[in-house]
Amino acid sequence: MAAAKKLMSVRRDWRERDVRVVLAALIIAVATVATIALFASQLQRTLVSSASSFLAADRQLEAENGRPVPEPWITEAMDRGLETGRMVEFSTMVFGSDAFQLVSVKAVSNEYPLRGELEIQGPSEGSRVQVQNGPAPGEVWINPRLLRLLDIQVGDTLEVGSRKLTVSGLVLREPDGGFSLSALAPRVMMHVDDVASTGVLQEGSRVKYVYLFAGEEASLECYYQWLQPQLEPSHEWEGVRDGETFSRSLDRAESFLLLGGSLAVLLAAVAVAVASRQYALSQRDTVALLKTLGLGSSGIGRLYLKRLGLWGVTGMVGGLLVALPLFWILTRLLSEALERPVPFQLDSAALTPALLTAVVSLFAFAYPPIRRLRNVPAMRVLRSQPGETGREALPDMLIAIVAVFGLVWLYAGEVSLVISLLGGLALLLGALGVLGWVLVATLRKVRGGGHAWRLALVGLYRHRRASLSQIAVFAMTLMLATTLILVRTSLLDDWQAQLPDDAPNHFLINIAPDAVDEVAAYWEERGQPLDQLYPMVRGRFTELNGQPVKEVVSKDQRVGALNRELNLTWMPSLPADNVIVEGSWFEEGQTDGVSVEADLAAALDLALGDELTFTIGSDKVNATVTSIRTVQWDSMKPNFYMAFPPGGALTNMPATWITSFHLPRDRKSELNEFSRRFPTVSLLEIDNIIERIQEIVRQVTQAIEAILVLILAAALVVMAAVVSATLQDRQREGALLRTLGGRQSLLVRSTMLEFALLGGFAGILGVAAAEAAVWALQFRMFEGAFSWHWQVVLPIPIISAVVLSLFGRWQLRPVLSVSPMLLLRRLE
Amino acid sequence: MQTTNSDSQRPMLRVENLTHRVSLETDTLTILKAVSLEINRGESVAIVGRSGSGKTTLLGLLAGLDTPTEGTVELDGAIISRLSEDERAQLRAHRVGFVFQSFQLLPALTALENVMLPLELAGMEAPEKRARELLERVGLGERLTHTPRQLSGGEQQRVAIARAFASDPAILFADEPTGNLDNRTGQEISDLLMALNQEQGTTLVMVTHDEQLAARCSRQFHIEAGELTEPVAQVELAH
Ligand SMILES: Nc1ncnc2c1ncn2[C@@H]1O[C@H](COP(=O)(O)OP(=O)(O)OP(=O)(O)O)[C@@H](O)[C@H]1O
Ligand SMILES: [Mg+2]
C-alpha cells in the first residue's frame, strides 16, 4: 500500500499533464466566477448607493398636496429603526442687492442627505468639497448662477420672504440633483427650521413636503407595507428602481456580468470534463496493475476520491488566490472612476457560486470517468483491452449537462439565459452531427499521398472521432466566447449611442405655447438647436375600461405611475428611439387612440383595445390603446408613458412644452441670459448626472474587458485540454509516419492544415451557434438592444483556424523531436 | 574495398566501428562497442543475444532511426549519419520496411488503410490495389475493413508484415516479430515472413530470441554486452 500511495502521490500527480490541465481549469473557473461575482456584488452595492443618492435616501415619500404628512408616520419609521429626514420644496422670489429672481427653494433638515454627498464650494473661494449636511440655520447655499443674476457675492445676504439669510456657499451638485421634471429655477438651499420665519408659505401655496428614509431593505419594505394603506393619491412613495435611467444601465451591466460568469462556469466545466476524462483513460493501466497487486475496487475508488478532493481544494484555494488581487484591482479602478473611495468588501455570498462551480464540475464531470476506473479489468495488464466507447459515458454526460446548467441557473437566476445557451448548444451539436456525417462520408474517399492537403484530410478522417469531439469542444468554446464578445460589443455600442458627447444635458420645461417659437429661435441662433419639442399635459390615469383603476388593478401591480400625475403628450411621429411592439402607430390624420409605454402596459396588464380614462384638472379624457411601444429611458430626452396623436383628445387641454438640448460645459454662463429673457421657463441641468453615468459606463466597460480576458484564458485552457488529449496518439503516430518515410515538413504542414481545418469548422459552427444564442438572448435579457455585428463575427473562424494551426504546430514539437526509436522501445 | 559477393554489387549494409553511448545522470553508458559488419543483398540475418545486450539499439542504428555516437552505417550506398532527417525519411520511404514486436498499427485505421499508409507516404501509384494484393497474400483478404482492435495479435502482425512489404523495400528490419505471439502463431508468422522475403528478394535483418527462426536465416550475429562476439560464419544460402 505504501508503494501504491506513492504511485498516487500529489507530487507525482502534478507531473501529469492532464492533471495540470484539470487544475488549471479549476483554478481559472473559480477565479473567473469569484471575480465576477464579487465585482458584480460590489458594483451593485456601489451603484445602488449612487442611485440611492439620487433620492438622497433609500426611499422618499412626497406629499404634493401642500400639507405635511401626519407626524405618527415619521415616528413609526423611527421606531422601526429607520433613519429619517425632511425637506420642503417650493418656488419663490428672492431678493439680492437690487435684483430679484424666481428660485427653487429646498429647505432641508439636519439629517439631509441620508445617502450620497452634496458638493459645494465654500465661502473661501476654495475648491469643491463634499459634505453630508445642508446649510446651518440662518444660512443659504445657492446655485452659482444666482451670483450673477442677483449680483451678489458669497457672504452677502439674500432675502427669502421676510427673512434675511447669509449666503455661505455655492451648491455645485446635489445628490438628489433633480431627475424629476418638477425641479424648477436656480436652487436656493436653506435649513428647514428657517422656513416658517420667511412667511412665504401660506395656506394653499404650491409646496412639496418630502420625507427621506434609509435603512435595511427589509425594514424599509416592512414599513412601506404598514404605510401603504394610509397613503392618499397625492402621496408618492419612491424607490431607487422605479424606472430610473440609472438602474436600467445598471441592470444591463449586471446581466452582462452574470452572462460572463455563466459562460465562465460552462467553459470551465468543459475543460475539467475533457481533461479529467483523458486523465481517467491514462490511469487505466495503473489501475489494472494495482488490481493485480491486490487492491480492491473500493480501495481504488477511495484512492481516486481522495485525489479528487485534493484537486477540489487546490482549485478553490488557487482560484481565490487569483481572484482576490484581481477583485482588488477592479475595486480600485471603480473607486478611481467614481472619484470616491469604494470600500473593499468581500461578499461571502458571492463566493458561493465560485466554490460550487469547482465542486459541481469536479463531481459532475471528473468523477464519472474516474469512478469507472474501478471497473477496469485486471486482465488489462496482460492484454490491452478495447478502450471505452462513448456510449458508457453518455448518461454521465447528460447528468453533467443538467448539473452545469442547473448551476448556471442558480448563478444567473435567468431561465431565459439557460434556455438560450442550451438551445445554442443543441443547435451546435445537431450541426456537428451533420458535419460529422459529411466529414466521414467525403473524407473516406480522400486518399492521402505525398501532399500535405491530402494528408491533412486523411488525418481528419484518421482521427474522426477525436476530430469531431475536438470540433465540438472548440465550437462550444468559440460559441461561448463569441456570445460574450457580441454582447459586449452591443452593450458598449448601445451605451455609446445613448450617451454621445453631445447628448442633451439640459431640459427646458414649462414653455408657454406662445413662447415655443421664440425659445427655439433663441437657441437656434446660438448654434445649440433644441431637440424635438413636446407638449406636456399633466393628468392622472383614473379608469380602465370604465372601472376605477385602483379597483381594477391589484395592489401588487400598482406602480408609481398610478400614484402621481403622468406627463401626457401628443406627437406627430414616433420618436426614433421608440419601438412599437404591439399594434401600430397613428395613421396620418388619425385623432383617436393612445400609445402606451411597454413596461407600464405590462405592469398594469393593459392590452390593445383597452379604454383608458385620464383625469386632467376637472376634465376627463378617454382613449383606446392602439399601440404599445418601448421607450429609451436613458436617452436623456423627454419620454412619455402615454402618447396621443396630434389633434386628439388632448389638444384642448392646458399644455406647456418641454424639450432638451445640449450646451457645452464652458457655455453654462449663457443660461443666465436665457433665464433673464424667459423667466417663466424652467431649466433643468442634468449634465452632472450624465457625467456620472458616463463614468460608470466607462468603469463597467473596463470590468467587462477584464472579464473577457479571463474568459478567453478559460477558452485557451479548454483548447489545451482537448489537444493534449490526443497528444500521445499523435506522438506515436508521428514517430510511425516518420519511420515509414514521412518527411518532417510534410508532417508539420499536414498537422497545421489539419488543425486549421478543425479551427475553421469549429469557428463557423461556433459563430453560427453564438448568433443563435444571442438572437434568443436579445429578446429576454437585454430588451432587444442588440444589433448584428458581422464585422465582429466574420474574422472569428479565420482567427480560430490560424490560432489552432499555430497551436497544432506548437503541440507538434514533442512529436517531431521524439525519436522513431520510440517504436522499437514500445513506449506506449 | 572487399566485396564478398559477385563483382558489381556493393553490400546492402555496411557498418564500421559503430559505437553508441548514452549519457546518464552521472556517467555515460556504452551500449555498443566498435561493431563492424557487412550484410549483402538478399541475405537474411538474425541478431541474437541476451536481453539488454544491445540488439534493439543496433537495429535502430542500422535502420537509421537513430544516429550513432561514432562509426558509420552505410545503407544501400548512403552513409546515414551524413543524411538529414528528411533524407533519411525519404530513404526509409522507398528502401526500408519495418516489423515491430508490438505491431504498431494505427488503431484508427482499417487493415487496408494501415497497409496503404507507406504507399501513400512514398507517393506510389494505385496504393489501394497494391495493399489489397498484399493483404490477400498474408491471408487477410476478408478482413480489409477491420481495425486493429478487431484483429488478434497474429492477424495484426500479418497486417504489419503486409505493410512492411508494401512499398517493395530493399531491406526489411524486424525486432522480435514473434515476441508477442504464441508458438504456433509465431511459427506461422515466421513462415510468412521468410516466404515473402524469398518472393520479394528482400534483405532481412531480424532481432529474435526464437532459435528456430534464427536458424532459418542465412547468418547469425551474436551480440554480448554491446560487442559482436562470434566470428561470423559465412553460410551460403541453404535453399
Ligand atoms: N536511451 C537509453 N538510455 C539509457 N539506457 C539505454 C538507452 N537505450 C538503451 N539503453 C540500455 O542499453 C542496453 C541495451 O538495450 P537494448 O534495448 O538495445 O537491448 P536488447 O538487446 O534489445 O534487449 P531485449 O532483448 O530485452 O529487447 C540496455 O541495458 C538498456 O537499458
Ligand atoms: Mg530489444
Side-chain angles (χ1 to χ4, degrees), chain B:
Chain B
M1 184 181 276
Q2 297 172 311
T3 47
T4 42
N5 227 322
S6 60
D7 16 77
S8 67
Q9 277 194 328
R10 283 167 286 140
M12 185 67 213
L13 193 64
R14 198 168 60 149
V15 173
E16 252 167 43
N17 215 15
L18 194 66
T19 297
H20 196 60
R21 294 189 203 94
V22 289
S23 36
L24 303 176
E25 272 160 41
T26 47
D27 54 349
T28 56
L29 177 69
T30 307
I31 305 174
L32 291 175
K33 283 176 216 128
V35 173
S36 299
L37 55 85
E38 274 186 16
I39 296 171
N40 293 322
R41 278 161 208 277
E43 260 191 308
S44 59
V45 166
I47 300 172
V48 292
R50 294 178 48 179
S51 181
S53 53
K55 305 183 296 292
T56 297
T57 310
L58 179 60
L59 193 78
L61 290 172
L62 295 185
L65 295 181
D66 211 347
T67 45
T69 319
E70 279 169 33
T72 53
V73 176
E74 192 182 320
L75 180 65
D76 201 10
I79 295 182
I80 283 183
S81 50
R82 294 199 193 140
L83 299 182
S84 72
E85 178 67 39
D86 275 350
E87 285 166 335
R88 286 207 296 269
Q90 198 63 9
L91 182 70
R92 286 196 295 267
H94 294 279
R95 313 295 290 155
V96 183
F98 287 94
V99 177
F100 305 96
Q101 179 175 0
S102 50
F103 322 138
Q104 301 290 1
L105 300 177
L106 288 179
L109 296 188
T110 62
L112 184 66
E113 287 162 345
N114 264 294
V115 178
M116 283 164 61
L117 193 59
L119 294 169
E120 289 169 343
L121 285 173
M124 294 198 188
E125 302 278 297
E128 187 167 340
K129 183 164 166 284
R130 170 100 176 120
R132 276 174 191 281
E133 282 168 10
L134 273 160
L135 281 168
E136 297 272 353
R137 173 66 190 82
V138 300
L140 291 176
E142 308 291 301
R143 314 290 302 267
L144 299 179
T145 59
H146 291 201
T147 58
R149 226 169 247 161
Q150 296 163 306
L151 299 172
S152 73
E155 287 159 349
Q156 288 187 46
Q157 196 62 305
R158 283 164 192 269
V159 176
I161 288 172
R163 178 179 68 185
F165 283 102
S167 56
D168 199 7
I171 185 165
L172 190 89
F173 292 95
D175 192 11
E176 302 187 33
T178 59
N180 274 2
L181 304 169
D182 65 71
N183 270 340
R184 266 231 20 235
T185 314
Q187 187 68 42
E188 283 167 22
I189 292 295
S190 310
D191 290 347
L192 184 64
L193 195 59
M194 298 309 286
L196 269 166
N197 192 41
Q198 281 265 285
E199 283 166 28
Q200 314 269 328
T202 318
T203 310
L204 176 67
V205 181
M206 173 164 64
V207 169
T208 184
H209 286 295
D210 181 345
E211 280 167 23
Q212 275 185 332
L213 181 56
R216 291 168 76 175
C217 294
S218 51
R219 275 200 293 169
Q220 294 188 7
F221 291 114
H222 283 265
I223 188 166
E224 210 175 298
E227 287 177 288
L228 283 187
T229 49
E230 233 152 283
V232 180
Q234 198 70 43
V235 183
E236 279 305 312
L237 282 170
H239 311 288

Side-chain angles (χ1 to χ4, degrees), chain A residues 757-809:
Chain A
L757 285 172
L758 274 181
F761 278 137
I764 292 168
L765 282 177
V767 161
E771 287 284 10
V774 166
W775 176 79
L777 276 176
Q778 74 176 333
F779 288 113
R780 283 295 316 235
M781 269 183 94
F782 297 95
E783 300 178 344
F786 280 128
S787 42
W788 303 108
H789 290 88
W790 288 106
Q791 68 282 16
V792 176
V793 156
L794 272 185
I796 286 177
I798 298 164
I799 292 172
S800 133
V802 170
V803 168
L804 262 187
S805 78
L806 291 177
F807 201 63
R809 173 70 186 83

Side-chain angles (χ1 to χ4, degrees), chain A residues 656-670:
Chain A
T656 58
W657 293 67
I658 175 171
T659 188
S660 58
F661 72 110
H662 177 80
L663 186 67
R665 185 165 263 284
D666 54 1
R667 289 175 59 185
K668 279 197 85 102
S669 56
E670 293 178 26

Side-chain angles (χ1 to χ4, degrees), chain A residues 200-232:
Chain A
V200 176
L201 293 185
Q202 312 290 330
E203 191 66 36
S205 302
R206 206 171 142 75
V207 56
K208 190 161 84 173
Y209 290 88
V210 181
Y211 300 85
L212 306 174
F213 302 92
E216 296 277 327
E217 198 55 37
S219 318
L220 287 165
E221 216 30 62
C222 264
Y223 174 64
Y224 179 56
Q225 295 301 325
W226 174 84
L227 184 66
Q228 198 192 20
Q230 313 175 55
L231 293 180
E232 290 168 32

